[in-house]
């Protein structure tokens, strides 16, 4: 029964992590399947390692090997890599714990809770990251910053010119900016009416 208790904790944690947190925020069903599959697989392997008296170092080695695996069908973002590692960690923690452990349960809760907090949509909600291609070649950084702020509607925090083409008159920029607060629909309509009246 002690082994079953850790399996139930693992399943509950991965369900909260993938369904209640990740899927509700990012809506990628394919990665939910990947996260759950990785977690259950890691749990099974870890449980076998834990019950056969294999050294914990081998378990950590397994984590190292599995951590370099990438989903090669489609590129995943750094945020999704965090969920991927969390699924691995939860599987290893619960799988290598052969009997119920308050410490292991707390660690699993910390992993899930940390992602729930740091990936919350309200946290740094106004900060954006974009790759922008302008239909003009802008060599002056101040002019480029002003053009980006005008088009993106925010304050540029940093920018990196990735490609500047004077022949085709284009600029490719990686930009990080803080978006201005959006006004409500009623205020936008009122502002538009005032602009027309003027």
């Amino acid at each position: 029964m002690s082994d079953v208790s850790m399996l139930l904790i693992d399943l509950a944690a991965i369900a909260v992590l993938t369904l209640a947190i990740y899927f509700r925020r990012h809506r990628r069903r394919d990665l939910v399947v990947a996260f759950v599959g990785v977690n259950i697989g890691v749990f099974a392997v870890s449980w076998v390692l834990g019950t056969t008296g294999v050294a914990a170092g081998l378990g950590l080695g397994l984590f190292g090997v599995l951590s370099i695996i990438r989903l090669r069908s489609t590129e995943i973002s750094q945020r999704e890599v965090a969920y991927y590692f969390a699924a691995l960690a939860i599987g290893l923690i619960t799988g290598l714990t052969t009997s119920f452990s308050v410490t292991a349960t707390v660690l699993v809760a910390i992993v899930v809770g940390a992602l729930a907090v740091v990936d919350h949509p309200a946290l740094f909600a106004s900060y954006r990251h974009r790759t922008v291609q302008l239909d003009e070649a802008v060599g002056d950084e101040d002019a480029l910053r002003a053009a980006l702020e005008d088009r993106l509607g925010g304050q540029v925090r940093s920018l990196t010119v990735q490609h500047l083409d004077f022949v085709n008159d284009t600029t490719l920029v990686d930009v990080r900016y803080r978006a201005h607060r959006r006004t409500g629909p009623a205020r936008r309509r009122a502002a538009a009416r005032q602009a027309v009246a003027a």
Side-chain angles (χ1 to χ4, degrees), residues 83-166:
Y83 282 94
Y84 186 73
F85 282 123
L88 282 171
I90 292 169
L92 281 170
I93 291 168
T94 54
L96 288 173
T97 306
T98 57
S99 60
F100 175 76
S101 167
V102 174
T103 303
T105 304
V106 170
L107 288 173
V108 168
I110 289 172
V111 170
V112 175
L115 277 179
V117 171
V118 299
D119 189 39
H120 195 279
L123 190 65
F124 304 120
S126 61
Y127 287 85
R128 306 279 192 276
H129 174 224
R130 299 281 186 272
T131 301
V132 179
Q133 181 163 338
L134 300 175
D135 58 352
E136 57 182 325
V138 185
D140 181 73
E141 185 172 318
D142 292 334
L144 179 59
R145 184 180 299 271
L148 288 168
E149 289 182 347
D150 181 57
R151 295 183 186 195
L152 295 173
Q155 181 183 10
V156 172
R157 296 293 188 174
S158 68
L159 62 88
T160 304
V161 176
Q162 295 182 335
H163 187 71
L164 184 61
D165 189 341
F166 287 106

Side-chain angles (χ1 to χ4, degrees), residues 1-11 43 47 98-99:
M1 286 300 293
S2 57
D3 295 337
V4 174
S5 66
M6 291 311 298
L7 174 60
L8 293 176
I9 290 169
D10 177 70
L11 292 175
F43 179 91
W47 185 81
T98 57
S99 60

